[in-house]
């Protein structure tokens, strides 16, 4: 059909597609920069294509860039009407202009397209500006004669061409053969003339005979061409017949494809119809159950649950949006929505009536008449409501807006019942508490024993109240978490048919589709918030009971704090910790109240003031602190936490140590240092006895402060027996400190030897003993006997007096050397004075 192809190096792009290369032409786009590519005519088993191939950027590989089906080719323009031209055009949906590398490739390419068009495309392609002989591949007789004429002209021009080496050798051989005659030129020329004449005659006969043979050959060629034309015409007829057969086969194939498509569509349609009819069909029994909405018995409740699940399954079917426009489906969905709304109203009315009935319940008689504290039991109420849990889950998914209000309705109704029950519960608790404390008073026990009994009774009653409240709150919290699906595990309680929201209705039936989505954020209601509404009276009543416990004894707030702390610590470690979040919140608030009461108690102890007519001794806030520590240590002895107590102890000790706690008393003869000395001594002894770890540093500080006040007290009162002598030597030390030499002090008028003698004469031994005796009696009078500090203070006085005496003697020797001035009493006399006074007071 087409001539053999040129070798195309590495053109392997057709092998993977199982294509056959028919013809190629090297081209570039006309009018643009020359970038060579190859147009290829390729054939597949059922179709012909024209493909453009170009060389890859790297290596010798080729890649296909464009491809057109040959049946889409409309026109081939050869552009060579009058003269040879390398350009040509191909018209598909648009015109492509190309320029061939050579005319032979262009002609061969166009001729291949022409033959393929006649054989396979029923001559649907138009060929313009192309000679018919070029398309048919024939040469006319004129072309053959022109070829012969050109050959003769070339022979004439070549008569005088240079001899070849072979011709030269033949010529030399001839001359050797006729060498004798060559010498005779005339004879040689004549000989050659005769031979040439013989050759001319032979050539003429050969030409005459060859012309006949050429004529016969040309005739045979013409006959062969005529036969070829007939064969091609026959083939064309066959091609036309086969073309019609091919078109018929194509039509048959298209028909079979359409039939197959119709069968496939029919199967899909039947599948969709069966899917819709099976999944959107609600039985008559379920429709009647939903329409009646009867929930009066357990069996009818189960029937309603099954019907609601079936309705939810029908409404949850995922169908295409276009199906909703079908009248049958739209009517079915409308029926589903109507049944859903009717059953929603029936169910809400029924469950609300149950809530109201429970809220109107009365306090059990056993709680009112019992002498034992018993919390209310709502187990029967919960058992009545739990069978409706699947319907609550269905309503939550079907209509979140309506479901959102049910917990509030439940909380409002049950709050009224719990308010009456909790009030009765705490009234009984107060009555039992006050009755037992009254028994303690009537028992005639000592005050300390009565306080301890008060605390035991208060602790027992508070613990019993907390133990009774815990199961009540936990049971209610577990119930609402399960019934209203308020926890993460609530999804486990839902049935298989109520786990998802139903499909939205068509837009004409759902005017505000976003309202359902907006409701989800409101459904995340925590159990704690709902329980706060149900038990709104629990925390106030518990606070009132705590206040009653605090009034039993001044330090009862400590016992309350310890009891609440220990109970919460025990709850956090128990298995019910996760189910008592609401009770933990309430107890945390009450614990905060207990801490505030405890802090107020601490503040009262801190604010305890010294009476305006106080005469010294142990101050009231010190006694109050001691009483508080004794009491709190007994209470916290077995407590699991004592952080608050340690903070309170540290705070109280800091207040006690503050110097601003005790100002100068109104009584003139009471010395501040004496009072602080006694109190710090008392605090130190008390802390040593208690051995409280957090107050170790304060114990050491109390010891230090006690010594400081003792020293100041001794120094202040020691100046009273030798007051003038003390002032004189203070002046001497001041002059020395100002730079006056010790031996020159006696030359100072105010501190001369005469002045010193006058001062010493005023303090004879008897006078000193009498002054010391007066000082001893004064100290003995104002020191509190409880602390027994008189021997300690008097011993400190003695040591300080001896130190002063030695200092005075040393100053006399240094500042008044050689004067012979001495004190009227000696060191031995001084020691005897102290011994005598001490013995006389025993």
């Amino acid at each position: 059909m087409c001539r053999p192809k040129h070798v195309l190096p590495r053109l392997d792009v057709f092998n993977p597609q199982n294509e056959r290369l028919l013809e190629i032409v090297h081209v570039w786009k006309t009018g643009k920069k020359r970038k060579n590519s190859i147009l290829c005519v390729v054939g597949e088993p059922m179709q012909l294509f024209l493909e453009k191939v170009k060389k890859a950027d790297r290596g010798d590989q080729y890649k296909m860039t464009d491809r057109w089906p040959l049946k889409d080719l409309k026109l081939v323009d050869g552009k060579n009407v009058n003269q040879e031209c390398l350009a040509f055009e191909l018209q598909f949906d648009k015109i492509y202009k190309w320029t061939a590398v050579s005319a032979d490739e262009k002609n061969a390419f166009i001729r291949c397209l022409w033959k393929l068009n006649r054989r396979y495309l029923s001559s649907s392609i138009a060929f313009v500006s192309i000679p018919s002989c070029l398309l048919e591949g024939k040469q006319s007789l004129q072309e053959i004669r022109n070829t012969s004429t050109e050959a003769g002209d070339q022979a004439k021009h070549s008569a005088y061409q240079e001899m070849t080496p072979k011709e030269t050798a033949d010529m030399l051989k001839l001359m050797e053969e006729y060498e004798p005659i060559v010498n005779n030129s005339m004879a040689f020329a004549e000989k050659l003339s005769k031979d040439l004449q013989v050759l001319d005659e032979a050539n003429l006969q050969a030409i005459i005979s060859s012309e006949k043979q050429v004529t016969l050959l040309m005739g045979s060629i013409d006959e062969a061409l005529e036969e070829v034309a007939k064969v091609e015409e026959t083939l064309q007829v066959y091609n036309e017949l086969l073309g019609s057969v091919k078109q018929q086969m194509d039509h048959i194939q298209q028909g079979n494809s359409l039939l197959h498509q119709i069968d496939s569509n029919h199967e899909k349609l039947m599948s969709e119809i069966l899917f819709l009819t099976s999944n959107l069909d609600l039985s008559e029994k379920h429709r009647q159950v939903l329409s009646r909405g009867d929930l009066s018995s357990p069996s009818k409740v189960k029937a309603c649950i099954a019907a609601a699940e079936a309705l939810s399954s029908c409404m949850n079917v995922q169908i295409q949006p276009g199906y909703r426009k079908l009248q049958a489906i739209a009517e079915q969905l409308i029926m589903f929505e109507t049944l859903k709304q009717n059953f929603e109203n029936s169910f809400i009315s029924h469950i609300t009536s149950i809530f109201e009935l429970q809220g109107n319940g009365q306090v059990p008689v056993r709680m009112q008449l019992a002498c034992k504290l018993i919390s209310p039991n709502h187990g029967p109420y919960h058992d009545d409501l739990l069978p409706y849990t699947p319907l609550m889950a269905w309503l939550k998914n079907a209509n979140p807006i309506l479901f959102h209000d049910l917990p509030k309705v439940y909380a409002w109704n049950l709050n009224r019942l719990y308010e009456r029950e909790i009030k009765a519960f705490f009234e009984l608790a107060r009555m039992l508490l006050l009755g037992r404390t009254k028994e303690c008073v009537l028992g005639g026990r000592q005050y300390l024993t009565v306080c301890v009994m008060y605390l035991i009774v208060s602790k027992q009653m508070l613990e019993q109240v907390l133990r009774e409240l815990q199961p009540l709150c936990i049971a209610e919290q577990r119930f609402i978490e399960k019934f209203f699906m308020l926890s993460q595990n609530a999804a486990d309680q839902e049935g298989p048919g109520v786990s998802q929201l139903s499909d939205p209705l068509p837009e004409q039936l759902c005017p505000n589709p976003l309202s359902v989505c907006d409701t989800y954020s409101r459904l995340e209601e925590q159990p704690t918030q709902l329980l706060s509404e149900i038990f709104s009276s629990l925390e106030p009543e518990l606070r009132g009971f705590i206040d009653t416990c605090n009034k039993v004894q001044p330090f009862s707030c400590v016992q309350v704090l310890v009891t609440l702390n220990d109970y919460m610590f025990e709850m956090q470690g128990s298995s019910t910790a996760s189910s008592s979040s609401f009770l933990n919140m309430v107890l945390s608030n009450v614990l905060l109240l207990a801490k505030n009461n405890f802090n107020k108690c601490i503040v009262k102890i801190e604010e305890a003031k010294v009476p305006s007519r106080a005469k010294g001794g142990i101050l009231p806030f010190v006694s109050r602190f001691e009483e508080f520590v004794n009491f709190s240590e007994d209470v916290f002895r077995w407590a699991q936490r004592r952080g608050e107590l340690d903070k309170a102890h540290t705070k109280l000790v800091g207040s006690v140590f503050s110097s601003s706690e005790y100002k100068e008393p109104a009584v003139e003869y009471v010395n501040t240092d004496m009072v602080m000395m006694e109190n710090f001594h008392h605090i130190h002894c008390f802390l040593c006895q208690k051995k409280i770890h957090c107050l170790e540093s304060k114990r050491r500080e109390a010891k230090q402060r006690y010594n400081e006040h003792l020293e100041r007290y001794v120094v202040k009162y020691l100046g009273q027996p030798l007051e003038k002598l003390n002032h004189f030597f203070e002046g001497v030390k001041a002059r020395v400190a100002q730079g006056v030499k010790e031996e020159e002090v006696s030359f100072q008028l105010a501190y001369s030897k005469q002045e010193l003698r006058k001062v010493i004469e005023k303090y004879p031994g008897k006078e000193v003993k009498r002054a010391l005796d007066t000082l001893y009696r004064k100290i003995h009078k104002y020191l509190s006997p409880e602390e027994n500090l008189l021997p300690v203070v008097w011993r400190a006085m003695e040591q300080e007096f001896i130190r002063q005496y030695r200092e005075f003697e040393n100053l006399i020797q240094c500042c008044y050397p050689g004067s012979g001035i001495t004190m009227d009493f000696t060191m031995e006399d001084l020691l005897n004075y102290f011994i005598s006074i001490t013995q006389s007071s025993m």
Side-chain angles (χ1 to χ4, degrees):
M1 181 177 61
C2 296
R3 68 185 183 85
K5 309 297 168 300
H6 296 83
V7 177
L8 190 60
R10 297 183 181 272
L11 192 58
D12 299 329
V13 294
F14 305 109
N15 293 334
Q17 285 96 1
N18 194 21
E19 296 175 341
R20 186 163 58 93
L21 181 62
L22 302 177
E23 189 59 74
I24 64 171
V25 58
H26 293 75
V27 296
W28 72 87
K29 289 186 178 180
T30 304
K32 295 186 178 181
K33 184 177 180 181
R34 181 167 179 173
K35 292 183 178 179
N36 289 345
S37 56
I38 305 173
L39 290 180
C40 305
V41 180
V42 296
E44 292 184 353
M46 296 297 294
Q47 199 169 4
L48 299 171
F49 291 95
L50 179 64
E51 299 178 357
K52 187 177 82 169
V53 179
K54 62 186 301 185
K55 197 171 184 179
D57 295 335
R58 297 181 179 178
D60 296 335
Q61 299 296 326
Y62 288 82
K63 64 179 181 179
M64 182 191 307
T65 58
D66 293 293
R67 192 183 196 200
W68 304 272
L70 202 58
K71 65 180 181 179
D72 295 338
L73 181 60
K74 300 176 182 178
L75 177 68
V76 178
D77 188 353
K79 298 291 185 181
N80 51 355
V81 179
N82 298 322
Q83 59 182 1
E84 196 73 24
C85 179
L86 298 179
F88 63 96
E89 295 179 359
L90 302 178
Q91 181 179 349
F92 291 92
D93 292 336
K94 66 177 184 177
I95 298 175
Y96 296 91
K97 298 181 179 181
W98 308 97
T99 301
V101 174
S102 67
D104 291 339
E105 286 191 6
K106 170 190 170 183
N107 294 337
F109 179 76
I110 293 176
R111 189 179 301 113
C112 181
L113 292 179
W114 181 76
K115 292 183 178 181
L116 293 174
N117 177 46
R118 292 184 60 190
R119 176 161 296 183
Y120 298 106
L121 301 176
S122 302
S123 301
S124 61
I125 305 174
F127 290 82
V128 298
S129 303
I130 304 173
S132 59
C133 60
L134 188 146
L135 295 175
E136 296 176 357
K138 298 180 180 179
Q139 285 185 328
S140 61
L141 184 60
Q142 183 65 31
E143 289 177 345
I144 297 176
R145 291 173 180 172
N146 290 339
T147 303
S148 301
T149 304
E150 290 175 0
D153 292 340
Q154 290 178 0
K156 293 179 180 179
H157 290 298
S158 61
Y160 300 98
Q161 291 180 355
E162 183 179 0
M163 290 190 301
T164 62
K166 185 176 182 303
E167 292 176 341
T168 304
D170 292 341
M171 178 61 71
L172 292 176
K173 183 178 178 181
L174 180 62
M175 292 182 69
E176 289 178 357
E177 183 180 354
Y178 295 99
E179 182 177 0
I181 303 176
V182 171
N183 294 329
N184 187 355
S185 61
M186 292 300 294
F188 183 68
E190 185 178 355
K191 177 64 176 173
L192 291 177
S193 178
K194 290 180 179 180
D195 292 340
L196 180 60
Q197 185 177 1
V198 174
L199 290 174
D200 286 340
E201 291 178 357
N203 287 335
L204 182 58
Q205 291 178 359
I207 290 172
I208 292 172
S209 61
S210 63
E211 185 175 359
K212 294 179 180 179
Q213 293 177 357
V214 169
T215 302
L216 294 174
L217 178 61
M218 291 301 295
S220 299
I221 291 174
D222 290 339
E223 291 177 358
L225 290 174
E226 290 177 0
E227 292 295 330
V228 169
K230 291 179 181 180
V231 172
E232 288 184 351
E233 289 177 359
T234 303
L235 291 175
Q236 182 65 28
V237 173
Y238 292 161
N239 286 335
E240 291 176 358
L241 294 176
L242 292 175
S244 62
V245 174
K246 182 177 180 298
Q247 291 178 357
Q248 292 175 4
M249 293 300 295
D250 292 339
H251 290 314
I252 293 173
Q253 184 178 3
Q254 292 177 0
N256 291 334
S257 176
L258 291 176
L259 291 176
H260 179 73
Q261 187 67 32
I262 291 173
D263 292 340
S264 176
N265 292 338
H266 180 73
E267 291 178 359
K268 292 181 180 179
L269 179 60
M270 290 300 297
S271 175
E272 291 294 326
I273 292 175
L274 290 175
F275 173 79
L276 294 174
T277 54
S278 60
N279 289 281
L280 295 180
D281 183 29
L282 186 64
S283 67
E284 181 65 24
K285 178 182 177 181
H286 290 332
R287 290 201 297 268
Q288 292 179 0
V289 169
L290 294 174
S291 298
R292 289 193 299 266
D294 188 359
L295 299 165
S296 58
S297 65
S299 59
K300 294 179 179 180
V301 171
K302 293 181 180 179
C304 289
I305 293 174
E309 291 179 352
L311 177 62
S312 180
S313 299
C314 292
M315 300 184 72
N316 288 337
V317 175
Q318 300 293 331
I319 59 177
Q320 298 181 12
Y323 291 170
R324 299 179 182 276
K325 298 179 181 180
L326 299 176
Q327 181 178 359
I329 295 178
E331 291 176 355
Q332 194 77 352
L333 294 177
I334 293 173
M335 182 192 68
F336 291 160
E337 183 65 21
T338 303
L339 291 174
K340 182 176 76 72
Q341 293 178 1
N342 291 338
F343 184 70
E344 285 172 357
N345 296 332
S346 300
F347 174 67
I348 291 174
S349 177
H350 180 78
I351 203 71
T352 303
S353 64
I354 296 178
F355 293 163
E356 293 176 353
L357 183 63
Q358 292 183 357
N360 293 329
Q362 300 298 323
V363 179
V365 179
R366 62 183 180 87
M367 288 186 58
Q368 298 176 354
L369 301 179
C371 296
K372 184 180 180 182
L373 196 61
I374 301 175
S375 62
N377 181 18
H378 281 207
Y381 294 158
H382 298 164
D383 293 339
D384 292 341
L385 291 173
L386 284 177
Y388 300 97
T389 302
L391 292 178
M392 292 294 293
W394 172 82
L395 181 63
K396 180 179 181 180
N397 290 323
N399 197 331
I401 298 175
L402 294 179
F403 176 84
H404 177 69
D405 294 331
L406 287 181
K408 297 181 179 179
V409 176
Y410 175 82
W412 185 82
N413 285 280
L414 268 293
N415 174 57
R416 295 181 296 148
L417 176 61
Y418 273 114
E419 185 176 358
R420 296 190 296 270
E421 293 177 340
I422 291 174
K423 183 178 180 181
F425 175 80
F426 278 101
E427 285 179 356
L428 179 60
R430 291 189 190 92
M431 183 182 67
L432 294 176
L433 174 63
L434 297 177
R436 293 179 183 178
T437 54
K438 187 176 180 180
E439 292 176 0
C440 296
V441 175
L442 296 177
R445 300 178 177 87
Q446 296 181 357
Y447 174 75
L448 181 59
T449 305
V450 171
C451 292
V452 173
M453 293 298 297
Y454 276 163
L455 295 177
I456 293 175
V457 171
S458 176
K459 178 177 183 297
Q460 290 177 349
M461 286 304 302
L462 182 56
E463 288 179 347
Q464 187 175 359
V465 167
L466 296 177
R467 284 196 301 269
E468 291 294 330
L469 290 178
Q470 181 178 1
L472 176 66
C473 296
I474 291 177
E476 189 64 35
Q477 180 169 342
R478 288 177 176 174
F479 168 73
I480 64 170
E481 287 177 353
K482 183 176 182 180
F483 189 70
F484 294 107
M485 285 73 68
L486 298 180
S487 65
Q488 295 296 330
N489 296 329
D492 298 338
Q493 307 298 331
E494 299 178 3
V498 292
S499 59
Q500 299 177 353
L501 279 174
S502 58
D503 282 345
L505 290 176
E507 295 181 0
Q508 63 269 21
L509 299 179
C510 187
N512 188 12
L514 294 179
S515 60
V516 176
C517 300
D518 296 338
T519 307
Y520 280 107
S521 60
R522 299 197 300 269
L523 287 178
E524 299 298 328
E525 188 177 10
Q526 297 300 321
T528 303
Q529 180 181 356
L530 187 59
L531 288 170
S532 300
E533 299 176 6
I534 296 174
F535 294 102
S536 61
S537 61
L538 176 60
E539 185 172 339
E541 290 290 343
L542 186 56
R543 286 174 177 267
F545 183 74
I546 295 297
D547 292 338
T548 304
C549 294
N550 289 335
K551 295 176 182 178
V552 172
Q553 201 269 346
F555 294 141
S556 295
C557 60
V558 180
Q559 182 65 62
V560 171
L561 178 61
V562 172
T563 304
L564 289 173
N565 257 329
D566 291 346
Y567 188 80
M568 290 196 66
F569 184 79
E570 181 181 350
M571 277 186 59
Q572 292 175 0
S574 64
S575 58
T576 60
S578 59
S579 302
S580 56
S581 58
F582 168 74
L583 184 59
N584 286 336
M585 182 192 72
V586 174
L587 293 183
S588 297
N589 295 336
V590 176
L591 180 62
L592 183 61
L593 173 65
K595 290 181 179 179
N596 291 335
N597 293 334
F598 178 76
N599 293 332
K600 289 179 182 178
C601 179
I602 301 302
V603 172
K604 288 181 180 180
I605 298 175
E606 291 178 327
E607 293 177 350
K609 301 297 182 182
V610 180
S612 58
R613 303 300 296 175
K615 297 182 181 180
I618 304 304
L619 298 176
F621 62 82
V622 175
S623 300
R624 193 73 170 170
F625 166 73
E626 182 180 357
E627 181 182 358
F628 173 79
V629 170
N630 285 327
F631 178 82
S632 61
E633 285 297 320
D634 289 339
V635 173
F636 275 87
R637 180 177 302 172
W638 308 109
Q640 301 183 24
R641 304 179 188 177
R642 55 174 295 140
E644 296 292 334
L645 181 63
D646 291 341
K647 293 179 182 178
H649 284 169
T650 305
K651 184 178 181 181
L652 284 177
V653 172
S655 300
V656 171
F657 283 14
S658 177
S659 59
S660 61
E661 293 292 341
Y662 181 75
K663 300 180 181 178
E664 191 69 28
V667 181
E668 183 178 349
Y669 49 78
V670 177
N671 184 268
T672 302
D673 289 317
M674 179 192 70
V675 176
M676 299 305 292
M677 173 192 67
E678 288 184 313
N679 281 274
F680 278 114
H681 178 266
H682 183 81
I683 293 172
H684 175 260
C685 294
F686 176 72
L687 294 180
C688 289
Q689 177 186 0
K690 288 298 178 181
K691 298 180 180 180
I692 301 175
H693 179 71
C694 67
L695 299 181
E696 282 297 314
S697 60
K698 294 298 182 181
R699 180 184 62 80
R700 293 189 292 270
E701 183 180 352
K703 178 69 174 178
Q704 179 184 355
R705 299 279 289 272
Y706 156 70
N707 291 329
E708 291 175 358
H709 286 289
L710 173 62
E711 183 179 353
R712 285 201 294 265
Y713 176 71
V714 169
V715 171
K716 181 177 181 179
Y717 274 84
L718 194 61
Q720 293 181 3
L722 305 175
E723 183 175 3
K724 294 182 179 180
L725 188 62
N726 196 15
H727 287 318
F728 182 86
F729 282 109
E730 288 293 333
V732 172
K733 289 190 291 184
R735 293 296 183 274
V736 174
Q738 293 173 1
V740 179
K741 295 181 179 180
E742 292 180 346
E743 60 271 12
E744 296 178 358
V745 173
S746 59
F747 298 104
Q748 300 284 330
L749 182 61
Y751 301 100
S752 62
K753 298 177 182 178
Q754 292 77 10
E755 292 295 327
L756 177 60
R757 288 190 180 94
K758 290 180 181 180
V759 175
I760 291 177
E761 289 176 356
K762 294 180 180 180
Y763 294 99
K766 294 182 179 181
E767 183 65 26
V768 172
K769 181 179 178 182
R770 186 184 63 82
L772 288 175
D773 186 64
T774 303
L775 178 62
Y776 180 84
R777 295 180 183 278
K778 183 184 295 186
I779 295 173
H780 182 271
K781 179 179 180 180
Y782 294 114
L783 281 176
S784 60
E786 294 84 0
E787 297 302 312
N788 194 24
L789 290 178
L790 181 59
V792 178
V793 174
W794 187 244
R795 178 63 180 170
M797 288 283 189
E798 180 182 356
Q799 293 177 356
E800 183 64 22
F801 203 96
I802 292 173
R803 187 194 63 79
Q804 282 191 356
Y805 178 84
R806 290 174 178 173
E807 184 181 11
F808 293 163
E809 288 287 340
N810 187 38
L811 288 174
I812 292 173
Q813 292 177 6
C814 294
C815 298
Y816 303 93
S819 63
I821 301 175
T822 60
M823 304 287 287
D824 189 57
F825 53 91
T826 63
M827 177 68 70
E828 185 177 358
D829 296 334
L830 187 60
L831 293 175
N832 290 331
Y833 295 158
F834 276 98
I835 294 173
S836 174
I837 294 172
T838 302
Q839 291 177 352
S840 63
S841 62
M842 293 179 63

